Amino acid sequence: MLAMDQVLNKGRYRIVNAFGQDGNGGMYEAYDTVSNTTVVLKETIGSLGKVTTTGQMEAINLAFFGGAKTLAEIRHESLVSVQDYFADIDRQYLVLEPVTGVDLSKYLQPGEDKPDLTDVLSWADQLLNALHYLHTHPTPIIHGDVRPENIKLMSDFKVKLLASCPHADDDANLITLAPIRSSNDNDGVNYQPLEQLWDGLDALSQRVILNHYDEESERWLLQPLSAATDLYSLGASLYAILTGTAPPDALDRSIAALEGKVDPLVSLAEVNPAVPAEVSNVIMKSMSLRREDRFYSAVILRQILHTAAAQVKENEPKTVHANVISPPPEPPQMVSNPDARRLEIEAERQHLEQERLQLEKRQAELDAEMAEQKAEQERLEGEAAEARQKLEEERLAAEAAQEQERLANEQREKEAAEAREAATKHEAEEQAKKESLLANSQPATESDEDDDDLLEVPETSAARPQPFADSSTVAKEETFDFVMSDSDHRPDRAKWRVPAIAVAAVLMVAAAFGIWKMTSAGSTAASTSMVSQPAAITQQTEVPAPADTQNSFEPTHASVVDPQSPASTPETAAPDKAPKQVQPTAAQEKPKKLPTTAPAKPPAPKKVTVDDLINDH
């Protein structure tokens, strides 16, 4: 217990007066030196009277701070507000708003008048509203310490429920305001159900009790604290206020049930006949020893109490005239049980209806979620299908590109092979042509058949004797013609043309000069000898030149001894010896192949030198 004028929380709160003390702490009036107001300090001994380590104390303080923060956010007209909270040494404190009035425990004092039933039902209605507010908080809060000492009666005949120090239960995700009490702690034990006392029992007592419970009852017993726990405490508080006596604790009642004895909790209507059976049955049901037999919602209990109060008002005897004898009222026992059962069934029906609505709402939410998931799944499947189709198209396009590339490569290889083959063929043809030209450059023999084409002459061509030409001139001209004809068929020997032309020009000049000299001397024998030369020697062979030499200078034999040239005159030509030159037709363009036998070689002409010409030989 704190001493007077003792300061807490670093000197902020100074103790002024003590309201009460129990094994779990006390209540004090204190002065707040910061706000200069009077407050109420609700003390809780965190160690529960036991020695604890520093780590355990820190864990207790952390749990206390978490719950106290939630309480500081709560605002309800039937709940005392929490203004501040702190821990000092091994104790925790809630700073509450100051409340003027008395607590309802005064009605348990001997000789104290019992309160009116209407007032008690009004207080119950306010407390049930406050409990429903706590139970439906986002973080459910179980008060756990509802008893007459914690219910303050205000001057306006309203009540307020004091809050105890909170304890967060992480496993159950809720906050419990009541401290854990053992069976040896008589303060508040009479108002707590068995599940709230369970952790304070020894293991042997727990095993003995569980041996008489079935699996369903055991499951309900071992569950975390719930709204049914506070409803038991509220029913026990109303029982104590209406009877003036605290009800027996739940442990004694359990032991009596295990031993097969009568429940020591006597009916409220029997202890106080002024309480109607309708109200008594509702309060007694809220105090059922097993949790599954109690009301599990503050709203349901509140509605049932309203219905019971309305029935009580209807059953009150009406005022009649003195001469009218009213029939005696029907005993309450005759109708109390059926009415209470009907109210209970109605409350159950309403509860089931609420649950049905909640289930329908939840089902609608689940359907909406499933629809969204289905739509999302369909969207994802569509995207996956599109992606697969795109990949397939890309694969086909890649295969088509590869096929086209392969065909292009094959075409290029084929073209390259054809080009190589054509080049090889062309090289072979060129080589054969070169070999043929090389062979044609050699003197013709009887076995040389490759020079037959060189001897082919048009059929219309005929040898014409050349007048005024001696044998040396004819031989020289034949030699020159052979050389020129051979040059015309050998483009690769073009380098011979210039020297040959020069030699031919010299020979032509010499021959012309010799002919002139011989003609002027009147040498007929020489002329006759020149005309009598074989026709094969004097025959002029005209061989068409190759295509690549058509535009080059072509000094053929015809250009020297052509009878159409100005040098040839009718006087010098034999009038009836040389036939008229006829131009070959298209059919005669192809030269006629001569026999393979080479013509007889003419006799070698006499070499005429320049000195001979000068000396007129």
Side-chain angles (χ1 to χ4, degrees), residues 75-230:
R75 294 292 181 270
H76 191 276
E77 60 181 358
S78 297
L79 295 173
V80 178
S81 62
V82 177
Q83 298 179 351
D84 193 11
Y85 52 91
F86 64 93
D88 198 332
I89 309 177
D90 60 346
R91 302 183 182 187
Q92 297 83 36
Y93 296 89
L94 290 178
V95 181
L96 308 177
E97 64 172 324
V99 178
T100 58
V102 296
D103 56 72
L104 296 183
S105 63
K106 74 170 187 174
Y107 294 107
L108 277 68
Q109 302 297 330
E112 184 71 26
D113 295 336
K114 302 297 181 291
D116 187 70
L117 179 61
T118 304
D119 295 335
V120 173
L121 293 177
S122 175
W123 300 338
D125 184 76
Q126 298 174 44
L127 294 173
L128 286 171
N129 188 16
L131 291 176
H132 176 69
Y133 176 83
L134 295 176
H135 297 162
T136 57
H137 193 268
T139 302
I141 300 174
I142 305 302
H143 192 282
D145 198 18
V146 179
R147 51 179 174 153
E149 289 81 2
N150 288 334
I151 302 174
K152 289 294 183 178
L153 181 61
M154 311 296 290
S155 58
D156 57 356
F157 227 61
K158 300 288 184 181
V159 292
K160 281 196 173 187
L161 182 62
L162 298 178
S164 299
C165 293
H167 301 274
D169 190 344
D170 296 334
D171 295 335
N173 193 24
L174 54 83
I175 296 175
T176 303
L177 302 184
I180 299 175
R181 291 187 173 91
S182 65
S183 59
N184 297 326
D185 185 6
N186 294 326
D187 296 327
V189 176
N190 300 84
Y191 304 97
Q192 294 181 342
L194 182 60
E195 67 267 16
Q196 195 169 359
L197 299 174
W198 187 257
D199 292 338
L201 299 178
D202 58 273
L204 180 60
S205 299
Q206 291 180 351
R207 286 197 300 270
V208 170
I209 294 175
L210 291 178
N211 288 337
H212 293 78
Y213 277 65
D214 56 15
E215 293 182 359
E216 184 68 16
S217 298
E218 181 180 350
R219 184 179 65 83
W220 279 97
L221 177 63
L222 299 181
Q223 283 183 357
L225 302 184
S226 62
T229 303
D230 283 344

Side-chain angles (χ1 to χ4, degrees), residues 238-535:
L238 296 177
Y239 184 95
I241 294 171
L242 290 173
T243 61
T245 305
D249 62 80
L251 185 59
D252 292 340
R253 295 175 61 191
S254 298
I255 294 174
L258 295 177
E259 295 175 354
K261 297 180 180 179
V262 179
D263 190 348
L265 180 63
V266 182
S267 174
L268 177 59
E270 294 179 8
V271 178
N272 185 2
V275 178
E278 295 86 348
V279 176
S280 175
N281 292 334
V282 174
I283 294 176
M284 294 300 292
K285 180 177 175 60
S286 64
M287 296 175 63
S288 296
L289 191 60
R290 299 194 178 191
R291 196 191 315 194
E292 61 268 26
D293 296 334
R294 300 180 217 141
F295 300 105
Y296 46 83
S297 173
V299 173
I300 293 177
L301 178 55
R302 185 183 182 191
Q303 183 177 358
I304 291 176
L305 282 177
H306 284 173
T307 304
Q311 288 184 349
V312 169
K313 185 176 292 187
E314 290 178 359
N315 293 333
E316 289 179 354
K318 297 180 181 180
T319 303
V320 297
H321 296 286
N323 56 354
V324 178
I325 300 175
S326 60
E330 188 175 356
Q333 292 80 7
M334 298 294 294
V335 297
S336 59
N337 290 337
D339 292 341
R341 183 58 181 169
R342 182 176 61 80
L343 294 175
E344 182 179 348
I345 293 174
E346 180 67 19
E348 291 288 341
R349 186 189 65 78
Q350 294 179 358
H351 176 70
L352 293 175
E353 182 67 18
Q354 292 178 355
E355 288 187 348
R356 184 185 66 79
L357 295 176
Q358 292 178 356
L359 289 175
E360 290 179 354
K361 182 179 179 181
R362 182 56 181 167
Q363 184 64 32
E365 293 176 355
L366 291 177
D367 292 341
E369 292 178 0
M370 291 180 64
E372 292 179 357
Q373 293 178 358
K374 184 177 180 180
E376 182 67 15
Q377 183 178 2
E378 292 178 353
R379 184 183 66 80
L380 294 177
E381 290 178 354
E383 292 180 354
E386 292 178 357
R388 288 194 297 269
Q389 183 178 1
K390 185 176 181 180
L391 291 176
E392 183 66 17
E393 292 177 354
E394 292 178 354
R395 184 183 66 81
L396 294 176
E399 292 179 355
Q402 292 177 358
E403 183 66 17
Q404 293 179 358
E405 182 66 19
R406 185 183 65 81
L407 294 176
N409 292 335
E410 292 180 354
Q411 183 65 22
R412 286 194 292 269
E413 292 176 358
K414 183 178 179 181
E415 293 176 355
E418 292 177 354
R420 287 194 298 271
E421 183 179 357
T424 303
K425 184 177 180 181
H426 180 70
E427 290 178 358
E429 291 177 353
E430 290 292 333
Q431 185 65 23
K433 187 175 180 181
K434 289 179 180 180
E435 292 177 356
S436 176
L437 295 176
L438 183 61
N440 291 335
S441 64
Q442 301 297 329
T445 62
E446 294 181 358
S447 61
D448 192 357
E449 298 180 359
D450 295 335
D451 294 336
D452 293 344
D453 293 339
L454 299 175
L455 301 177
E456 293 179 0
V457 295
E459 294 180 356
T460 57
S461 63
R464 294 190 300 270
Q466 300 294 331
F468 310 108
D470 57 0
S471 59
S472 61
T473 304
V474 173
K476 293 177 180 179
E477 291 178 354
E478 182 180 2
T479 302
F480 177 74
D481 180 65
F482 175 79
V483 172
M484 295 305 295
S485 299
D486 187 67
S487 299
D488 294 339
H489 290 280
R490 286 167 175 78
D492 54 346
R493 300 179 183 271
K495 59 184 180 179
W496 295 350
R497 293 177 179 177
V498 175
I501 293 172
V503 173
V506 172
L507 292 178
M508 288 174 63
V509 172
F513 183 76
I515 290 171
W516 176 77
K517 293 290 292 182
M518 291 173 68
T519 301
S520 63
S523 180
T524 307
S527 176
T528 305
S529 176
M530 292 174 59
V531 175
S532 62
Q533 295 292 333

